[in-house]
Amino acid sequence: MMPEEFRLLRDLINERAGLHFGDDSMFVFERRLGDRASALGLDGFAAYYKHLRFSPQGAEELELALEVLTTKETYFFRQEYQLRSFQQELLPRLAEANASQRRLNVWSAGCSTGEEVYTLAILILESGLFEGWDVHVIGSDLCRSNVAAGRRGVYRPSSFRTTTPLMRQRYFEERSDGTHVVERLKRFCHFGQVNLLDAERARTVGRVDVVFCRNVLIYFDERSRRKVIDTLYDRLVPGGYLLLGHSESLLHVSTAFELVHLKEDLVYRKPVSQPRGNSAPQRGRS
Ligand SMILES: C[S@@+](CC[C@H](N)C(=O)[O-])C[C@H]1O[C@@H](n2cnc3c(N)ncnc32)[C@H](O)[C@@H]1O
């Protein structure tokens, strides 16, 4: 792969999905996209780039390119301290705030293969605060195969590296083809393909009380991060919460959110009332 070919492909991926790849990723591109170019019988990366950009099948191929370039790493009960904060501090607040509508909507934005979605659903069920409520946990991801895996809800041992035997016994069933999420959990989990750069598409998620967007924005450049955060802000109800991954923050990205100090974590909250004359989220430090 020539450096110029790498730059063209990298910029295209960044433009379409927000992902940022440094110069040291050239060999990753060469290996992973080289396989795609060969599969299509294309002669080299310049031809592959043209195919992605100009061919009628370009959009479909871009999906496959993104499949091989994205990091899908995830597992049940990831970042437990944050999940404890969600269960012990945020869920009781939400149970009180939403008591009249008896409705709770939680979104896992960039959910990979669905482990985060089912984890959140388990925490909601285990809290015992929402019995008889209209509860929806929505999982969305850029990659179609991840969305399909989430819908299927069948997992391998590596997904359970921090799952307690009790949770495993309560919410999963062992079958010959893998460990299945039980039906009573699946019932209120929904999956869809959403590119977080596409604000229109993100509207299909509806309004949500909480967004988990963890370990997604670390792979983005700053401009794309801002775009995504604006979209998440738009999808949250006033007073709704945003939870990022442990190495992520809104520093240099947005000042539109309030910072909420919980016992074990810092989370972001969309203000209940917008400051006068401020209809759009502010950017900068937070
Ligand atoms: C490392 S996984 C994080 C999964 C889960 N949130 C967690 O913390 O375990 C990152 C996910 O972000 C998704 N992703 C990357 N770019 C995206 C975009 N533009 N829109 C939606 N999802 C995206 C990837 O497909 C991948 O599944």
Side-chain angles (χ1 to χ4, degrees), residues 17 71 74 78 110 112 116 141-142 146 194-196 214-215:
T71 305
T74 189
R78 187 177 193 179
S112 190
E116 187 171 85
D141 200 85
L142 176 69
N146 289 345
V194 176
N195 180 346
L196 291 170
R214 308 194 302 170
N215 309 301

Side-chain angles (χ1 to χ4, degrees), residues 16-19 66-67 70-76 78-79 108-116 140-143 146 193-198 212-220 228 245 248:
R16 301 293 168 83
L19 300 167
L66 289 168
E67 291 272 355
T70 46
T71 305
K72 299 166 193 284
E73 164 73 1
T74 189
Y75 49 93
F76 293 106
R78 187 177 193 179
Q79 270 170 250
S108 163
C111 69
S112 190
T113 40
E115 287 88 331
E116 187 171 85
S140 70
D141 200 85
L142 176 69
C143 299
N146 289 345
Q193 189 180 18
V194 176
N195 180 346
L196 291 170
L197 280 193
D198 184 347
F212 279 77
C213 187
R214 308 194 302 170
N215 309 301
V216 177
L217 298 178
I218 32 167
Y219 301 106
F220 282 39
V228 172
E248 298 163 317

Side-chain angles (χ1 to χ4, degrees), residues 85-258:
S85 297
F86 172 66
Q87 191 180 33
Q88 294 171 7
E89 296 187 71
L90 295 188
L91 286 181
R93 290 183 194 199
L94 290 163
E96 205 180 314
N98 293 6
S100 56
Q101 316 96 293
R102 293 171 69 78
R103 187 180 306 135
L104 180 71
N105 292 314
V106 177
W107 179 20
S108 163
C111 69
S112 190
T113 40
E115 287 88 331
E116 187 171 85
V117 177
Y118 293 119
T119 299
L120 299 175
I122 290 173
L123 296 174
I124 293 168
L125 269 190
E126 284 289 308
S127 76
L129 295 169
F130 303 94
E131 263 162 51
W133 284 43
D134 188 15
V135 174
H136 299 274
V137 185
I138 303 133
S140 70
D141 200 85
L142 176 69
C143 299
R144 203 185 306 177
S145 70
N146 289 345
V147 173
R151 278 200 191 113
R152 190 160 170 256
V154 181
Y155 294 96
R156 289 207 281 250
S158 64
S159 294
F160 295 95
R161 63 192 90 157
T162 59
T163 306
T164 62
L166 180 65
M167 289 301 108
R168 195 162 166 161
Q169 184 211 330
R170 239 178 229 174
Y171 295 102
F172 299 90
E173 270 167 20
E174 299 300 335
R175 294 198 211 152
S176 55
D177 59 343
T179 309
H180 289 237
V181 174
V182 294
E183 224 26 70
R184 73 189 164 94
L185 196 60
K186 268 184 140 177
R187 244 198 332 256
F188 57 95
C189 296
H190 315 271
F191 291 89
Q193 189 180 18
V194 176
N195 180 346
L196 291 170
L197 280 193
D198 184 347
E200 267 311 302
R201 176 82 184 145
R203 292 228 168 93
T204 57
V205 170
R207 296 271 176 190
V208 295
D209 300 291
V210 186
V211 182
F212 279 77
C213 187
R214 308 194 302 170
N215 309 301
V216 177
L217 298 178
I218 32 167
Y219 301 106
F220 282 39
D221 67 295
E222 206 167 297
R223 188 184 53 92
S224 309
R225 250 179 236 156
R226 287 191 182 135
K227 239 182 130 178
V228 172
I229 290 296
D230 285 358
T231 297
L232 302 183
Y233 182 94
D234 175 63
R235 290 298 85 215
L236 277 168
V237 298
Y241 296 94
L242 168 66
L243 285 82
L244 300 175
H246 70 95
S247 60
E248 298 163 317
S249 83
L250 294 186
L251 195 70
H252 307 306
V253 178
S254 171
T255 55
F257 289 85
E258 300 165 351

